[in-house]
Amino acid sequence: MLSLSPATAQTAPNTAAAAAADDTGLTDVVVTAERRSENLKRVPVSVAVVEGDDLRTFQAGGEDALALAGRVPGLYAETTTGRIFPRYYIRGLGNIDFYLGASQPVSIIQDDVVLEHVVLKSNPVYDVAKVEVLRGPQGSLFGRNTTAGIIKFDTIRPGQVWTSRFNASYGTYNTATFDAGVGGPIVQDKIAIRLSGLYQHRDDWIDNTFTGASADGTRGGRNALGGFDERDARLQVLLTPTETLSVNLSGHVRSYEGTSTVFHRGALIKGQNNIGLEPRDRVALDEGDNNPQAYKTYGGSVNAGWDFGAATLTSITAYETTSGYSRGDTDGGAAANFGGVGFGESMGRIRGLDQWTQELRLASNGDGAFKWQFGGFYFDNRDVTEFYQRGYFLSPGQAARNPNNWVRLRDVNTSWAVFGQASYRLADRLTLTAGARYTVDEKETRLVKASLTAAGADSFPATAPRTVKLTGKEPSWDVSALYEIDPTTSVYARIARGFRGPTIQGRSAVFNTPFSTADSETIMSYEAGVKTQPTSKLRINATAYTYRVSDIQLNGNDVNGNGTLFNADHANAYGMEAEMEWRPIRNITFSLGGSAIHTEIKDPRVYAQVCAFGGRPTCTVLDPTVRGGLFAQIDGNPLPNAPRWQVDAAVRYDIPLSDRGNFFVASDVNMQGYTNLVLYETREFFANDNLELGLKAGFTTADGKYEIAAFARNITNEKNLKGVIENYNAAVFNEPRIVGISLSGRFD
């Protein structure tokens, strides 16, 4: 159950009509958080649910899956590398590393397939049935181990009845979105298909005001940055040759071109956190060719299930591949505007990536007192990644030009695991559940081509290894108890141990710096919660938790502004999440959600390099520092991108006009409290009191088949700080206001 904006305000055409016609109140929420369909009240896990129609409402203004941030209590998301590199945080745990091979403690699962690489995590979600956010360690049942949680996207699958749906919208900056799906039986009860597609477009809307001579040929102009084109398609074929065998074949393709993240240099004045003076729609970039990025992704899976009566054997085989690049002016501004100093641009390119996954799972059937499942999982990821620095891009005749200023890395990550879970219901009210997994995770990064001088000399340190291998072997487990006080209320408690494998940071080789590494981290998490629906019109879920992450992996900067990995002794946290849905009368629905968290890094021996340019700090550091103020002690600091509190709320009001349909008005809001954006504390690098409002008003037909509406996302055009480039005091902003119209249809 999700307590957020139009997700629970019934914005979809089909659910809107149902809400207006149904006097019984809220419907049950069914989740698959334990790989089985189960009522949310009977699942001993903190789960938030976003229906597909509601996610499409958030994305009407051209947003991607990052639109979930701030609308699910305990979930935060951001990017500093454009739409191809989302970074998710659950209960304060995430990873601020922008390295293309970065490991993240939040796993993305699409149609039961884990997407591990950061680019694969950006695969668009469309024709989606439901999104589930599982908070806390999820080491027993799903894909890779994760210390923070899982975001699980389930698309609409083929069925034995022909159905179709579409959502189309058009708004500011020629922002257009079309999300559609159609499917049904080809041979009744034997072969069914579903074809889905997504198209998103936005014109460039940010002016590059730079007019001088550029060292790499970059030219300014009106409407030079900010746009994108997203084209995606997926075909699923469901084969059911017998009543006991089903095979779902799925294949998808993605083509994306757009602008990588735009940094605004000097937007944060030293000693201040005020970003009000920096225009969102103008920037002066003298390098980086206006920050282009482009990726193509292909993938497919075979999900087969054999029902043997007492148990079902499931096999999921999947393959994903991607290639592309992202380039940017990383100093975020023309050096001529800052005393003629400070140039920076870079590009990351994936030459090729191959991810293979295989899962086998045997699970008991039925709703008996004893349920069980066990299986095995194998993961294999291999990629060739290149990083290019400024010298490579400079025009002929430039003194700093160096066409050899790039590196090629080959990464291999293999992992295998065995897992199992069992639950037993005692006396019809108490259910005990225990799960376990043992994982071996191996990573290797090899420097295939070093960064050379302009004359061709190899400058990589002779004593530094060019191949680094790391292995992590750890158990994960969880134990929970759920007690049904009565048919309306359940309470639960859960203890879980999670594991994230070791990590290698190879991008530093482009600066002729040895690889940095981080050992495996583990988490012990404790939580207790209540799930209640005291009446048909009110539902409340609440969870309190605490955890400790040992050997937590952190990412700071080195002298080149490049990410560097290290372990801190541990981090502690405690917090809560609460969600409420209320439908007091037939035509009004309210929702409210919130989370609060306190996180703290604990290691007095760990220091992080601070904002610095030319050997001097560029920001106001509040922590104790050493080495001329360039390194800050981070002991006691909050984890980066861990909001102290988040609140989301929504309301929808349906006004029956006649037997032909309803007029409706829906509004949603999300707010975010103090959020430190880096490892050390400053007067500049934090967000506080961020606010975004959404509004939608329109007409739905009585049968729920059509909806036409006007909408506005970020209606007050709030300019919120979402990220920083520290040594240039550069800011990253949220999406601008988008106002438009939308049309939805559904045919069953």
Side-chain angles (χ1 to χ4, degrees), residues 433-452:
T433 303
R437 172 185 291 251
Y438 182 77
T439 302
V440 176
D441 198 0
E442 298 178 337
K443 293 182 178 178
E444 175 183 309
T445 296
R446 179 163 63 93
L447 180 60
V448 177
K449 187 266 180 191
S451 179
L452 310 178

Side-chain angles (χ1 to χ4, degrees), residues 272-343:
Q272 301 180 22
N273 182 248
N274 180 16
I275 57 175
L277 298 178
E278 179 67 20
R280 187 183 352 224
D281 59 355
R282 295 195 305 276
V283 68
L285 303 181
D286 57 350
E287 296 182 349
D289 195 28
N290 292 316
N291 293 16
Q293 61 179 189
Y295 270 86
K296 294 186 182 298
T297 302
Y298 308 89
S301 64
V302 180
N303 190 324
W306 293 268
D307 187 340
F308 297 109
T312 295
L313 177 64
T314 300
S315 171
I316 304 171
T317 307
Y319 171 74
E320 296 283 336
T321 182
T322 191
S323 62
Y325 72 94
S326 180
R327 181 179 172 188
D329 187 327
T330 52
D331 64 79
N337 298 334
F338 296 88
V341 296
F343 295 91

Side-chain angles (χ1 to χ4, degrees), residues 648-665:
D648 60 82
V651 61
R652 176 180 170 114
Y653 181 38
D654 284 274
I655 306 171
L657 298 179
S658 66
D659 292 339
R660 296 182 178 179
N662 304 308
F663 174 77
F664 71 90
V665 178

